[in-house]
Amino acid sequence: MPRIALATYDPGSEPSKDRDLPVLVEALRAAGAEAVAAPWDDEGTDWGGHDLVLIRSTWDYSWRAAEFVAWAERVVKATRLANPVRVVRWNTDKRYLGDLAAAGVPVVPTRYLAAGDPVDLPDGHEYVVKPTSGAGARFAARYTPDEHETAVRQLERMHAEGLTAMVQPYLTNVDVSGERALLFFGGRYVHASRKGAVLSPGTAYDDDKVSHPDLEPWTATDAELAVAERALAAVPDAPELLYARVDLVDGPDGQPCVMELELVEPNLFLDLHPGSLAVVVDAVLAAASR
């Protein structure tokens, strides 16, 4: 009987936001596994007592990225971790977009501003400022050129908290075609979802935002699949990936480009795609049995 631990976050007194977690735990148990879910920062969990630690909804890690990576490095010394620790380390910092671009993958153009760098913000188009380590649109905002001073204040706040900022053009096609999320498991394309634009004009960077507005099932196009596969091929230790979600938007030319690679704790959206559960369970069981 494979023993599988699913790493999640501690929601405190609130209900967990991961609707897929109990479904996945139950399905793994029904398939013959000994499956449990535990917060990644729970000091009482014996991660080494499992054949596989599957990172799932560790959705509070982004403000504690160094601590999270250190946890992953401890886990991998005791047992198998999915995804591999090298992938986790690489994917927790969105400067990986530069690696993808260097490999010829179409990505949203991105510049990085660390503390002390000259503040050079666009003056001819809308743009987005967000941290290189972030999730759920936290500390993300959309600006017009005449909102320069507000954007500078955001940068000052981020730098004061030790965060590096990334600056990207706001791709207006997202307001029409949305953002598509293509899920892969066990090296196999599983399903796709689409959501609407997250960043509304005038929404402050520190306001709460709806992470997945107007979420719906989507049928991936050939062009989207091609870009997603090119992006995954450029990932360090790509053959060792158990799961991956590739988030795409349309560039100015109408062609898909990578917004983000979600290789650490992607939402799987199994509630939209219940038929994918069996594929996910089979892939997890295979990984635990290696």
Side-chain angles (χ1 to χ4, degrees):
M1 176 184 293
R3 295 167 297 172
I4 302 169
L6 292 83
T8 182
Y9 75 110
D10 182 357
S13 60
E14 300 293 326
S16 172
K17 295 181 180 179
D18 186 358
R19 292 181 290 184
D20 292 335
L21 188 63
V23 175
L24 185 54
V25 169
E26 182 178 346
L28 287 168
R29 289 174 177 170
E34 182 182 319
V36 297
W40 68 272
D41 54 356
D42 178 12
E43 296 181 359
T45 298
D46 177 17
W47 302 105
H50 299 85
D51 300 304
L52 174 71
V53 174
L54 175 66
I55 301 175
R56 281 305 316 118
S57 44
T58 56
W59 291 338
D60 58 349
Y61 92 84
S62 62
W63 295 148
R64 305 156 62 192
E67 182 183 347
F68 180 75
V69 171
W71 166 81
E73 290 172 341
R74 291 194 301 273
V75 169
V76 80
K77 292 176 182 177
T79 189
R80 178 174 172 79
L81 178 70
N83 275 323
V85 68
R86 185 181 176 203
V87 171
V88 171
R89 190 184 304 112
W90 180 78
N91 195 232
T92 53
D93 188 325
K94 291 186 177 67
R95 278 175 281 204
Y96 67 74
L97 288 171
D99 297 339
L100 295 182
V105 178
V107 302
V108 177
T110 307
R111 292 186 297 110
Y112 303 95
L113 295 177
D117 288 343
V119 178
D120 180 18
L121 295 173
D123 59 7
H125 56 79
E126 283 190 281
Y127 57 94
V128 173
V129 176
K130 58 186 179 182
T132 57
S133 179
R138 288 180 293 185
F139 268 30
R142 168 183 174 182
Y143 294 107
T144 61
D146 60 4
E147 294 174 304
H148 178 89
E149 294 305 318
T150 306
V152 169
R153 287 195 294 272
Q154 175 182 344
L155 290 171
E156 291 172 345
R157 167 81 179 277
M158 292 170 63
H159 291 158
E161 297 197 15
L163 299 171
T164 296
M166 50 197 293
V167 180
Q168 299 174 317
Y170 185 79
L171 300 182
T172 56
N173 278 334
V174 74
D175 294 328
V176 178
S177 53
E179 183 177 330
R180 284 86 70 201
L182 278 61
L183 183 71
F184 294 77
F185 236 95
R188 171 182 172 186
Y189 166 68
V190 179
H191 62 236
S193 309
R194 180 174 72 169
K195 67 180 181 181
V198 174
L199 299 179
S200 301
T203 301
Y205 69 90
D206 51 358
D207 281 353
D208 289 334
K209 304 174 184 72
V210 178
S211 300
H212 303 107
D214 303 320
L215 190 66
E216 62 181 357
W218 177 253
T219 300
T221 66
D222 290 343
E224 290 166 354
L225 285 167
V227 171
E229 289 166 357
R230 285 176 63 187
L232 294 179
V235 174
D237 291 340
E240 299 300 317
L241 288 174
L242 173 59
Y243 56 86
R245 204 184 78 203
V246 186
D247 293 349
L248 304 172
V249 293
D250 288 336
D253 59 357
Q255 296 302 304
C257 60
V258 175
M259 171 75 78
E260 290 188 16
L261 281 187
E262 294 277 5
L263 308 180
V264 180
E265 30 63 276
N267 195 321
L268 306 179
F269 306 132
L270 291 175
D271 53 337
L272 281 184
H273 306 275
S276 299
L277 181 60
V279 176
V280 171
V281 167
D282 287 347
V284 174
L285 292 175
S289 301
R290 290 179 190 169

